[in-house]
């Protein structure tokens, strides 16, 4: 068994705790400085770790910001290019629409001219048989008679009579149709 030897404390000193071996403050004699040092070290280590984590997070954030700025610059460049392509496409579209309107106007004008021509042609077709006379046969008769008269006028009597005989068949057919009024 061991016995602790204690010395009386001076006046005003805290009472000694015999059970724990500590002065009246409850801290063991000789151990107080070690625990304080351990706490301070732990706080310092935690502080350094937090500071390192903050620095690493800041560096990571800076790297992400730089990457985001580069991506933004690229996106802005692509947007500018897309806008210029859009402007060119809009210009081509406007030109195509203008050409389309021009072609439509030309088509409408051609359609109107065609309708007019078809009406005139229908009128001409109706005019070929006027009063029952085939105007094509009349033209053939008159052409051969004119040729015969020209030949007789220049003194070609034989040629003129021959042309007159050739015209008699077409003119005879015309006379028969006109007399009958059938347009044969």
């Amino acid at each position: 068994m061991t016995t602790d030897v204690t010395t009386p404390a001076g006046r005003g000193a805290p009472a000694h705790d015999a059970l724990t071996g500590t002065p009246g403050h409850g801290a063991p004699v000789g151990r107080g400085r070690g625990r304080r040092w351990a706490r301070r070290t732990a706080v310092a280590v935690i502080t350094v770790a937090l500071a390192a984590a903050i620095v690493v997070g800041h560096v990571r954030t800076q790297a992400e910001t730089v990457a985001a700025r580069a991506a933004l610059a690229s996106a802005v460049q692509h947007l500018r290019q897309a806008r210029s392509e859009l402007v060119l496409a809009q210009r081509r579209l406007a030109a195509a629409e203008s050409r389309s309107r021009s072609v439509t106007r030309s088509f409408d004008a051609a359609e109107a001219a065609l309708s007019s021509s078809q009406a005139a042609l229908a009128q001409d077709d109706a005019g070929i048989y006027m009063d029952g006379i085939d105007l094509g046969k009349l033209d053939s008769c008159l052409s051969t008679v004119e040729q015969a008269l020209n030949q007789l006028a220049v003194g070609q009597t034989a040629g003129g009579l021959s042309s007159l005989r050739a015209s008699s068949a077409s003119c005879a057919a015309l006379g028969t149709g006109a007399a009958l009024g059938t347009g044969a």
Side-chain angles (χ1 to χ4, degrees), residues 55-126:
V55 168
V56 168
H58 179 70
V59 168
R60 186 178 299 143
T61 303
Q62 287 295 330
E64 289 173 357
T65 302
V66 168
R69 284 185 179 154
L72 177 63
S74 176
V76 166
Q77 181 64 28
H78 285 117
L79 179 62
R80 284 185 185 139
Q81 184 177 2
R83 281 184 180 164
S84 67
E85 290 173 3
L86 175 63
V87 167
L88 290 174
Q90 287 173 334
R91 287 180 185 160
R92 286 192 303 261
L93 176 62
E97 287 174 341
S98 175
R99 285 191 302 269
S100 174
R101 285 190 298 271
S102 175
V103 166
T104 300
R105 283 191 300 270
S106 296
F107 178 75
D108 291 344
E111 189 175 32
L114 178 62
S115 294
S116 174
S117 296
Q118 286 175 337
L121 182 60
Q123 213 173 25
D124 288 345
D125 285 344

Side-chain angles (χ1 to χ4, degrees), residues 3-184:
T3 306
D4 283 338
V5 178
T6 59
T7 58
R11 239 181 205 202
H16 181 67
D17 187 355
L19 292 174
T20 62
T22 60
H25 300 297
V29 177
R31 288 194 203 168
R33 287 186 184 161
R35 283 190 178 171
R36 272 188 258 140
W37 182 84
R39 275 190 214 142
R40 287 183 183 159
T41 302
V43 168
V45 168
I46 291 172
T47 303
V48 168
L50 285 174
I54 290 172
V55 168
V56 168
H58 179 70
V59 168
R60 186 178 299 143
T61 303
Q62 287 295 330
E64 289 173 357
T65 302
V66 168
R69 284 185 179 154
L72 177 63
S74 176
V76 166
Q77 181 64 28
H78 285 117
L79 179 62
R80 284 185 185 139
Q81 184 177 2
R83 281 184 180 164
S84 67
E85 290 173 3
L86 175 63
V87 167
L88 290 174
Q90 287 173 334
R91 287 180 185 160
R92 286 192 303 261
L93 176 62
E97 287 174 341
S98 175
R99 285 191 302 269
S100 174
R101 285 190 298 271
S102 175
V103 166
T104 300
R105 283 191 300 270
S106 296
F107 178 75
D108 291 344
E111 189 175 32
L114 178 62
S115 294
S116 174
S117 296
Q118 286 175 337
L121 182 60
Q123 213 173 25
D124 288 345
D125 285 344
I128 288 178
Y129 288 98
M130 182 172 246
D131 293 331
I133 299 174
D134 185 349
L135 296 179
K137 288 182 181 178
L138 178 62
D139 184 50
S140 174
C141 173
L142 292 176
S143 294
T144 52
V145 169
E146 179 183 13
Q147 181 182 1
L149 291 175
N150 286 337
Q151 286 174 339
L152 289 172
V154 292
Q156 297 178 356
T157 308
L161 291 176
S162 173
S163 294
L164 198 53
R165 275 187 223 114
S167 69
S168 66
S170 63
C171 291
L174 180 64
T176 306
L180 296 175
T182 58

